[in-house]
Amino acid sequence: MKMAITIIFMLASICLIILLPIYLRKKNRMYSLRTEEKVNLKKQKKNIKTIWGIGEIKDGILTVNNRHSIIIELGSIEYRLLNDIEQNNIDNNLIKIAKTFTNQTQFFSTIEKIDTTEKIETIRNNIEKQKNSNIKEYGESIIEYLENIMQEDNLYVRKNYLIITSNEAYEKAERELKEYYEDLRYSLSNIKVTTRLLSDIDIIELLHRELNKNSNEQLRNIIKKGGLDFYVEAKSKA
C-alpha cells in the first residue's frame, strides 16, 4: 500500500515537473499577446482615422468604411417673408427635387459662432491698395467693428448641410456625386437657395467645430501659419 502511494506521488511529481513549464510558457504567451493587443489599441486610439472612423478626405469626398460622401452647405430661405404664390412655388420645387434623391441622403444642422476673419483679411488687403486716406480710415473702422462682433459670446448662425452618400467604388462614386451636386445646385438656384460644396479643409473644419464646440480657433488659420510644419518635421526626425 505504501509502495503504491509512493509511486502515485512520484508520478504526480513527474507530471508536475513536465506540465508546469508548458503551462507557464502558454500563460506567458497569452500575457504577451494581450499586452501586444493593448499596445495596438493604444496606437489605434491615437490614430485620427480610428477616432473618427474616416478612411480618407480627398477632392471633397469623405470616405468612411468604404462609403463615399459629399457635404453641401445650403443657404436659407426667408420663407415667412414670402407671399403664398412664392411659398407654393418653393414647396413644389422642393418636392420635385426630393423625388430625385436616389442616394442615401442626410440633412444636418448646427450652430456656428460668427467668424469675420476672412472678411477682415479681405478688407485689410484692399485697404493696402488704396491711396485715399478717407477710404483707408473707413476701412479700418469696418475692421474694428467686425473684430468687436467676434468678441461677443452669444452671436451664432445656423448652418444647414446636406450629406449625399454613394456605395460605389471611389472613381464611380466621385463622378456620380459631383454630377449630382451640379444638378442639385442648378435646381436650388431656381428658388434662390445657394449651395456650396465643401472642400477638404471645409470638411475638416466642420468636424473640428463639432468636436470642439468651445474652440474659436480655425484649423485653416493654423495651417496657414505653419502649424503642420512642426508636426511634419518632428515626425521625419523621429
Side-chain angles (χ1 to χ4, degrees):
M1 184 66 178
K2 290 182 179 180
M3 183 64 68
I5 294 173
T6 302
I7 293 172
I8 291 173
F9 274 112
M10 287 179 62
L11 292 175
S13 300
I14 293 171
C15 290
L16 185 62
I17 293 171
I18 295 173
L19 295 177
L20 184 60
I22 297 174
Y23 172 77
L24 291 175
R25 194 180 301 118
K26 187 175 181 182
K27 194 73 175 177
N28 290 334
R29 186 180 177 187
M30 290 178 64
Y31 176 77
S32 177
L33 289 172
R34 287 176 182 175
T35 304
E36 186 177 349
E37 287 176 0
K38 289 180 180 179
V39 171
N40 291 334
L41 183 60
K42 288 181 180 179
K43 289 181 179 179
Q44 287 179 350
K45 286 180 180 178
K46 294 179 182 179
N47 190 326
I48 198 167
K49 293 181 179 180
T50 305
I51 295 172
W52 287 352
I54 294 173
E56 187 177 40
I57 300 176
K58 179 184 177 183
D59 298 329
I61 305 292
L62 173 65
T63 300
V64 179
N65 298 326
N66 296 321
R67 305 177 70 200
H68 312 290
S69 304
I70 56 173
I71 304 178
I72 304 168
E73 182 181 328
L74 300 175
S76 58
I77 305 174
E78 294 295 339
Y79 191 79
R80 290 175 295 180
L81 300 180
L82 304 177
N83 59 44
D84 292 341
I85 296 176
E86 291 172 328
Q87 289 182 359
N88 289 332
N89 179 51
I90 289 175
D91 292 340
N92 292 331
N93 275 279
L94 289 177
I95 291 172
K96 290 178 182 178
I97 293 171
K99 289 180 179 179
T100 66
F101 289 175
T102 55
N103 295 76
Q104 179 181 336
T105 305
Q106 179 182 357
F107 287 94
F108 171 67
S109 294
T110 185
I111 56 172
E112 299 175 7
K113 201 173 188 307
I114 291 179
D115 185 6
T116 59
T117 304
E118 291 186 10
K119 293 181 175 61
I120 290 174
E121 187 176 347
T122 301
I123 295 172
R124 185 168 283 122
N125 291 335
N126 289 331
I127 287 176
E128 293 175 356
K129 301 175 184 178
Q130 301 296 326
K131 295 181 179 180
N132 190 311
S133 59
N134 291 329
I135 294 178
K136 287 186 176 182
E137 185 178 349
Y138 180 67
E140 291 293 342
S141 299
I142 295 175
I143 289 175
E144 184 179 357
Y145 173 74
L146 293 176
E147 287 176 339
N148 290 335
I149 287 178
M150 291 183 62
Q151 301 303 316
E152 298 290 336
D153 294 330
N154 58 346
L155 291 179
Y156 291 87
V157 61
R158 177 171 291 279
K159 291 292 187 71
N160 300 307
Y161 299 94
L162 178 63
I163 304 171
I164 310 294
T165 301
S166 172
N167 294 322
E168 301 291 346
Y170 181 83
E171 291 77 11
K172 185 175 180 179
E174 183 180 19
R175 290 195 306 271
E176 175 186 309
L177 293 172
K178 296 292 178 66
E179 288 175 2
Y180 184 85
Y181 167 69
E182 291 300 327
D183 292 339
L184 181 65
R185 183 172 67 88
Y186 175 77
S187 299
L188 289 176
S189 66
N190 292 329
I191 54 175
K192 304 297 187 297
V193 176
T194 59
T195 58
R196 185 174 70 92
L197 183 64
L198 297 195
S199 63
D200 295 357
I201 187 63
D202 291 327
I203 294 172
I204 295 171
E205 283 279 12
L206 178 60
L207 294 171
H208 172 72
R209 285 194 300 270
E210 290 305 301
L211 293 173
N212 302 275
K213 283 293 189 181
N214 296 324
S215 174
N216 294 324
E217 187 61 70
Q218 283 194 325
L219 289 180
R220 67 178 75 239
N221 293 334
I222 296 175
I223 294 172
K224 284 181 181 178
K225 295 175 182 177
L228 293 182
D229 295 341
F230 173 77
Y231 169 75
V232 174
E233 184 179 349
K235 186 176 180 182
S236 62
K237 286 182 179 179

